[in-house]
Amino acid sequence: MATLASTLCTGISYAGQVPVKRAGEVGRKKQRVVVVRAEGGGGINPEIRKNEEKVVDSVVVTELSKNITPYCRCWRSGTFPLCDGSHVKHNKANGDNVGPLLLKKQ
Ligand code: FES
């Protein structure tokens, strides 16, 4: 059972060692678990598609129009799910270091 042992840094909690038993195993293995939570209970997404239960996007990589297409991971883009560079402002304001996921066409 997970117990909250300590907080490593802002927003990331270390849950300690958790007994894990896989199918076919006789003994019990211990596995480290890290729990990541958004600060303040407001979530990580400030305003993007809040009317949806879960924001999910999929991309067929072979159909990308550009050789490199940046996808937003900071949830601040005005063109979400594509990156519009808003992460730069967010990083400066919050001392953060988030950036896009780059999908590369081969
Ligand atoms: Fe979000 Fe660039 S705008 S990662």
Side-chain angles (χ1 to χ4, degrees):
M1 302 334 99
T3 56
L4 187 61
S6 63
T7 299
L8 295 176
C9 60
T10 305
I12 299 176
S13 302
Y14 171 59
Q17 292 192 325
V18 179
V20 175
K21 191 171 186 177
R22 296 190 176 102
E25 284 184 351
V26 177
R28 287 185 134 191
K29 276 178 114 176
K30 296 217 173 190
Q31 186 174 44
R32 292 184 186 275
V33 175
V34 175
V35 178
V36 179
R37 287 187 217 135
E39 290 288 316
I44 194 169
N45 176 7
E47 61 185 21
I48 295 170
R49 293 160 38 189
K50 286 299 214 181
N51 59 332
E52 298 176 26
E53 183 178 325
K54 186 188 304 183
V55 179
V56 177
D57 298 294
S58 63
V59 176
V60 179
V61 176
T62 56
E63 294 179 3
L64 290 172
S65 60
K66 300 176 189 171
N67 287 336
I68 296 176
T69 305
Y71 277 78
C72 179
R73 294 191 298 179
C74 75
W75 292 88
R76 304 304 190 272
S77 176
T79 59
F80 194 88
L82 299 176
C83 169
D84 69 355
S86 295
H87 60 269
V88 175
K89 181 180 175 186
H90 164 78
N91 287 344
K92 281 184 183 171
N94 299 288
D96 212 344
N97 66 348
V98 295
L101 166 68
L102 300 178
L103 295 186
K104 296 179 180 180
K105 191 174 182 178
Q106 290 189 345

